[in-house]
């Protein structure tokens, strides 16, 4: 099995992806708390337990980080925080890394509302995708998004991810099983790199 090089930092301009750390707890909690109402409709929740089973508890921050680290060391996940101009502003995780005949992973992310619209998240997704294609050796990247989540859909549409269809009741989000649109990209579609394509698209937009 391939094991991605970990830990790793990825950067472009003011945007940095770096491994999430236990000492990020105070800032991570503050950013998450400040964005609670904005993020709640899109955040994963724990489904009701089976009859007779005890209710599941959300992990603490420390439990979350330890789990993410263990998954990263096993080659199944790449958990990053996002920094913008030196400040923690969000989180991006490449999860579900699968090898064999599939060689794929899927990306999940959230960002501080205060920096939304500045190109932070498209840059972060492009950095992670290029790393997965060029260094890790994955072939396909997926992003699954609720149809109602316009800002998140715009991120992947700006980057040129293909919309492949709807997965009904795919994930437990905001207290219920929610439909998700599937967006995907394969390595052959971005031979020049996704970050390079994103920069060209931004440049062309600004020159209009």
């Amino acid at each position: 099995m391939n094991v991605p090089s970990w830990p790793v930092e990825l950067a472009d301009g003011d945007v940095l992806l770096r491994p999430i750390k236990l000492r990020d707890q105070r800032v991570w909690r503050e950013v998450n708390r400040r964005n609670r109402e904005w993020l709640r409709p899109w955040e994963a929740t724990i489904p009701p337990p089976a009859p007779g089973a005890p209710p599941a508890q959300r992990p603490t921050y420390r439990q979350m980080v330890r789990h993410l680290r263990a998954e990263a060391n096993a080659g199944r996940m790449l958990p990053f925080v996002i920094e913008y101009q030196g400040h923690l502003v969000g989180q991006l995780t490449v999860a579900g890394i699968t090898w064999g005949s599939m060689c794929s992973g899927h990306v999940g992310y959230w960002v501080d509302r205060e920096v939304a619209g500045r190109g932070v998240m498209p840059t972060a997704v492009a950095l992670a995708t290029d790393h997965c294609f060029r260094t890790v050796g994955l072939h396909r990247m997926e992003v699954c998004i609720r149809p109602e989540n316009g800002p998140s859909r715009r991120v992947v549409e700006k980057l040129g991810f293909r919309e492949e269809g709807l997965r009904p009741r795919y994930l437990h989000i905001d207290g219920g099983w929610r439909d998700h649109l599937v967006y995907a990209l394969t390595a052959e579609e971005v031979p020049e790199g996704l970050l390079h394509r994103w920069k060209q698209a931004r440049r062309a937009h600004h020159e209009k």
Side-chain angles (χ1 to χ4, degrees):
M1 182 186 80
N2 296 355
V3 177
S5 56
W6 188 258
V8 64
E9 290 189 355
L10 310 170
D12 181 74
D14 290 332
V15 179
L16 170 71
L17 295 181
R18 63 164 176 80
I20 190 169
K21 300 174 182 178
L22 288 172
R23 67 171 177 263
D24 292 322
Q25 178 171 349
R26 182 186 62 79
V27 177
W28 186 95
R29 284 186 179 280
E30 192 279 324
V31 175
N32 201 271
R33 179 196 57 76
R34 184 158 37 81
N35 287 273
R36 186 93 311 271
E37 293 306 312
W38 194 53
L39 296 174
R40 181 177 288 119
W42 325 118
E43 283 196 336
T45 45
I46 299 173
Q57 300 293 320
R58 288 186 68 88
T60 65
Y61 178 86
R62 296 180 70 85
Q63 289 171 335
M64 176 189 73
V65 172
R66 286 174 176 149
H67 169 72
L68 293 175
R69 281 181 175 176
E71 290 295 289
N73 290 331
R76 293 187 291 263
M77 190 177 284
L78 297 172
F80 298 101
V81 291
I82 305 166
E83 288 189 2
Y84 178 64
Q85 297 180 342
H87 301 285
L88 192 155
V89 295
Q91 191 171 350
L92 181 149
T93 303
V94 181
I97 294 176
T98 305
W99 300 105
S101 57
M102 182 171 282
C103 289
S104 74
H106 55 82
V107 184
Y109 49 80
W110 61 266
V111 72
D112 189 337
R113 190 174 189 174
E114 288 188 4
V115 302
R118 301 187 194 180
V120 175
M121 191 51 75
T123 300
V125 173
L127 282 166
T129 299
D130 283 348
H131 178 69
C132 287
F133 285 161
R134 294 177 166 186
T135 303
V136 178
L138 298 184
H139 171 252
R140 173 184 167 92
M141 297 291 282
E142 282 189 3
V143 186
C144 296
I145 304 170
R146 287 186 63 181
E148 304 89 347
N149 191 347
S152 190
R153 291 177 63 182
R154 283 193 289 275
V155 168
V156 292
E157 288 164 358
K158 288 175 182 177
L159 293 171
F161 277 72
R162 285 174 289 100
E163 183 182 327
E164 291 191 335
L166 185 74
R167 290 180 180 169
R169 298 171 297 283
Y170 178 60
L171 289 173
H172 201 272
I173 303 288
D174 192 31
W177 294 105
R178 312 296 184 182
D179 297 350
H180 280 66
L181 289 169
V182 184
Y183 290 85
L185 194 68
T186 60
E188 295 91 344
E189 294 174 86
V190 282
E192 76 283 11
L194 187 56
L195 183 63
H196 176 74
R197 187 166 80 178
W198 162 234
K199 286 183 172 181
Q200 283 189 319
R202 291 190 83 182
R203 193 175 302 117
H205 175 76
H206 290 313
E207 288 174 356
K208 287 182 179 179

